[in-house]
Amino acid sequence: AIAGAPPILAFGRISWEKGLDRLLEALPRVPNARLVIAGDDGGHAATLAEKARLFRVDERVTIIARQVGGADKEALFGSAALFAMTSLSENFGLAAFEAMRRSLPVLTVPDVGMSEIVREAGAGAVVAPSLEGIADGLGALLADRVASRAMGLRGRERVVAEYGWDAIATRMSAVYRSAIEGTRRA
């Protein structure tokens, strides 16, 4: 999966809600791009493999339909050019957060809760959830590696600054101090 050109990585549960078919449909418009889809199979991997054949991109698509963790997970994230999350609906998008922590630029759609953080941090591209929007976004991120690398670094900075253990501990301490002060006043 990691041999060859750095792939677009879609990591998480393989399910219809993840909008992975959108990535497959956009791939013919992004020449030479490779896609790796990895995660627990929610019963959708075979359908995606068939769609990859239908769109004639099966030779550029690798589907790893199983739990991926540890060194395998790190190898996938480490080899990727960018992370893509094109879910139909996603409350937060923890895998996109993981990609940002690893300095990967993120391509996402407005239906992913994490999209606002990606937009505000300048950590990737938030695109229309259409064939054209996804294809154009993938193409732009892959074409300008310098800009993509800078986006990935901005994403990492945001994640570390606001969601790293030090930042969380500081916020939790403030919550506890506030609770203690409230109890004293009561």
Side-chain angles (χ1 to χ4, degrees), residues 11-45:
F11 188 91
R13 189 170 43 91
I14 300 174
S15 173
W16 66 270
E17 299 104 328
K18 299 298 183 175
L20 297 166
D21 54 329
R22 294 172 167 179
L23 288 172
L24 292 173
E25 187 176 4
L27 206 56
R29 295 182 180 214
V30 189
N32 303 317
R34 292 184 332 106
L35 172 64
V36 173
I37 297 171
D40 285 337
D41 185 9
H44 198 55

Side-chain angles (χ1 to χ4, degrees), residues 5-90:
I8 299 160
L9 176 63
F11 188 91
R13 189 170 43 91
I14 300 174
S15 173
W16 66 270
E17 299 104 328
K18 299 298 183 175
L20 297 166
D21 54 329
R22 294 172 167 179
L23 288 172
L24 292 173
E25 187 176 4
L27 206 56
R29 295 182 180 214
V30 189
N32 303 317
R34 292 184 332 106
L35 172 64
V36 173
I37 297 171
D40 285 337
D41 185 9
H44 198 55
T47 301
L48 291 175
E50 181 56 37
K51 285 189 178 193
R53 283 188 289 283
L54 176 70
F55 295 130
R56 299 175 195 249
V57 295
D58 51 313
E59 72 283 351
R60 296 192 284 141
V61 175
T62 302
I63 300 173
I64 304 170
R66 64 172 174 81
Q67 175 78 26
V68 180
D72 289 343
K73 181 177 180 179
E74 293 307 318
L76 286 174
F77 275 96
S79 71
L82 67 98
F83 183 84
M85 183 173 276
T86 55
S87 302
L88 304 177
S89 177
E90 190 83 42

Side-chain angles (χ1 to χ4, degrees), residues 117-186:
I117 295 169
V118 170
R119 185 187 325 272
E120 290 168 7
V126 180
V127 301
S130 64
L131 169 63
E132 294 80 14
I134 293 168
D136 290 349
L138 292 172
L141 288 171
L142 291 171
D144 192 343
R145 298 294 178 138
V146 172
S148 291
R149 178 74 179 141
M151 290 176 190
L153 292 173
R154 284 193 298 269
R156 178 172 172 69
E157 287 172 8
R158 173 63 71 89
V159 167
V160 170
E162 294 186 23
Y163 304 100
W165 286 117
D166 289 343
I168 292 170
T170 299
R171 285 198 301 273
M172 288 305 298
S173 292
V175 168
Y176 286 129
R177 279 194 297 278
S178 175
I180 291 168
E181 290 299 318
T183 302
R184 286 183 185 159
R185 280 182 254 154

